[in-house]
Amino acid sequence: MSLLQSTQFRPDPSTSTTRRALLRAWPEFQNPAAWLVALILVIMPLIANGFFLIEIFATTLILGVIALSLMFLAGYGGMVSLMQLTIAGFAGYMVAVFGVSGNANISLGWPWWLATPMALALATLFGTLGGALAVRTEGIYTIMITLAIGAAFYYFTNQNWAIFNGHTGINTVATPHFWGVDWRTDIAFYYVTLGVAAICYFAVQYVSRAPFGLALQGVRDNPRRMAALGFNPNAHRIAAYAFAAFIAALGGVLQVWNYRQISPGSVSVGACIDVLIIAVVGGITRPIGPFIGALIFVLLRTFALDVLIKLGLDGNRFRLLIGLGFLAIVFWSSDGVIGLWERWRRRNASSTQRSGGGRHG
């Protein structure tokens, strides 16, 4: 009987090893707060109306995906790119040009399941070519060349009428309909956005811990040493730009489906800098940071105007609040809101240890 019990209840070493490896690879699974946030996001349509569901949470997820591509380049590759929103806007324009829209003289009328992959492929190629130019520079010059690409694309779309319809843009862009569902309705579109954001988040987490991601971080820290070890720093950087471009392109497709239109204002220089602010405010070293920064940015952009008007101030100065918040967070924490949170947790842990030690003595 004891032999049967020992063989029946003996844990499988391979199973326990696999479980430990999974928890080490995905530490979020051990965090109760992460499960709580995931549950709230899943049941959000039950507790939020259409305005909050789309204008706040879906918009937050879309901007978070675009800022996530910037975070991947800056946090793991040491390359601050200001053309990520430009790539997203390029993907949005390609969806409108190849798909169906109210501008029949411009749009080619392809179904969404052909127009969307084409837009993603062309936007990824566009971002890869831009990255191939940017990797030849470092530091402030990388920022300037990516900003120049974004500014050039903005002025090109604003002045080109044959393809981009000039400053008017392309309106009434068709959204997906399949399985008898209009995927632009509030609840359906929210879950599409949530699914894409989750896939991008876990993809960045996985790539950052894969051999490519570890090599990219090595290139970030010491490119000469990595080159001496046989790695090609520029090839890794260009591949990182390609991966980040695909993520930004996904955000651009969601954005054009959300607003059903695309115009040069969507890819302006100010909007490109907003993505940088989102990434920095949330935290540029962790994938969750861009989504936190996007939520703060969207809340300020949506409600700050009304608050200023109630205080008797000019509502158009809501960007002043965003700028002041950005300066305050950067001043107090080099890693945004996540850095402030980690500092607060360490301070509480140390105070708890000191108080516990005093009682023990």
Side-chain angles (χ1 to χ4, degrees), residues 10-353:
R10 182 179 300 170
D12 187 0
S14 61
T15 303
S16 60
T17 303
T18 303
R19 185 180 297 109
R20 287 195 299 269
L22 179 63
L23 293 178
R24 284 195 301 268
W26 305 100
E28 296 84 1
F29 293 161
Q30 303 179 78
N31 189 354
W35 287 101
L36 178 61
V37 171
L39 177 62
I40 293 174
L41 290 175
V42 169
I43 66 173
M44 187 62 67
L46 301 177
I47 58 179
N49 57 27
F51 173 80
F52 279 92
L53 199 63
I54 299 300
E55 297 300 327
I56 302 299
F57 296 107
T59 303
T60 293
L61 293 172
I62 293 172
L63 290 177
V65 167
I66 299 173
L68 179 66
S69 66
L70 191 154
M71 174 268 149
F72 176 79
L73 291 173
Y76 298 122
M79 302 170 290
V80 180
S81 170
L82 293 183
M83 66 176 183
Q84 298 311 113
L85 184 69
T86 302
I87 298 170
F90 184 87
Y93 265 110
M94 291 301 99
V95 168
V97 168
F98 287 101
V100 179
S101 74
N103 301 83
N105 58 327
I106 293 177
S107 299
L108 300 180
W110 292 10
W112 72 269
W113 49 270
L114 286 179
T116 302
M118 178 62 72
L120 293 174
L122 292 178
T124 302
L125 178 61
F126 175 75
T128 305
L129 294 177
L133 294 175
V135 296
R136 301 177 182 276
T137 60
E138 293 183 0
I140 188 64
Y141 300 103
T142 301
I143 299 176
M144 293 306 297
I145 195 171
T146 54
L147 181 61
I149 292 173
F153 184 75
Y154 164 70
Y155 287 111
F156 180 71
T157 57
N158 199 33
Q159 299 172 3
N160 181 278
W161 291 86
I163 301 176
F164 300 108
N165 203 31
H167 60 81
T168 304
I170 303 176
N171 303 308
T172 320
V173 179
T175 53
H177 290 72
F178 61 97
W179 294 339
V181 178
D182 178 7
W183 292 94
R184 184 48 193 85
T185 57
D186 290 347
I187 295 178
F189 184 71
Y190 170 78
Y191 280 120
V192 169
T193 305
L194 179 61
V196 172
I199 291 172
C200 292
Y201 172 83
F202 285 110
V204 169
Q205 287 276 43
Y206 175 79
V207 170
S208 67
R209 296 161 184 166
F212 167 74
L214 297 177
L216 181 64
Q217 295 171 59
V219 170
R220 174 200 62 191
D221 297 334
N222 197 329
R224 291 185 178 180
R225 183 177 182 182
M226 294 299 291
L229 292 174
F231 293 90
N232 188 331
N234 281 346
H236 280 77
R237 288 168 175 164
I238 294 174
Y241 270 101
F243 177 72
F246 183 76
I247 293 177
L250 287 172
V253 171
L254 293 175
Q255 194 169 46
V256 75
W257 284 347
N258 184 24
Y259 297 111
R260 298 188 181 93
Q261 63 91 28
I262 184 77
S263 65
S266 304
V267 293
S268 65
V269 175
C272 294
I273 297 176
D274 286 343
V275 173
L276 175 64
I277 293 175
I278 289 171
V280 173
V281 166
I284 209 164
T285 61
R286 299 187 186 181
I288 194 61
F291 295 99
I292 297 175
L295 179 60
I296 295 173
F297 179 84
V298 170
L299 289 175
L300 284 175
R301 187 179 66 179
T302 305
F303 299 110
L305 188 144
D306 296 331
V307 173
L308 289 175
I309 292 177
K310 288 182 179 180
L311 295 177
L313 301 175
D314 185 3
N316 293 323
R317 295 183 178 179
F318 74 96
R319 286 190 175 274
L320 178 62
L321 293 180
I322 297 176
L324 292 176
F326 173 75
L327 291 176
I329 291 176
V330 171
F331 178 78
W332 291 105
S333 172
S334 60
D335 195 19
V337 174
I338 290 182
L340 293 175
W341 170 255
E342 292 294 336
R343 185 184 303 175
W344 179 80
R345 289 185 58 186
R346 288 194 298 266
R347 186 178 302 169
N348 280 356
S350 61
S351 62
T352 302
Q353 290 177 358

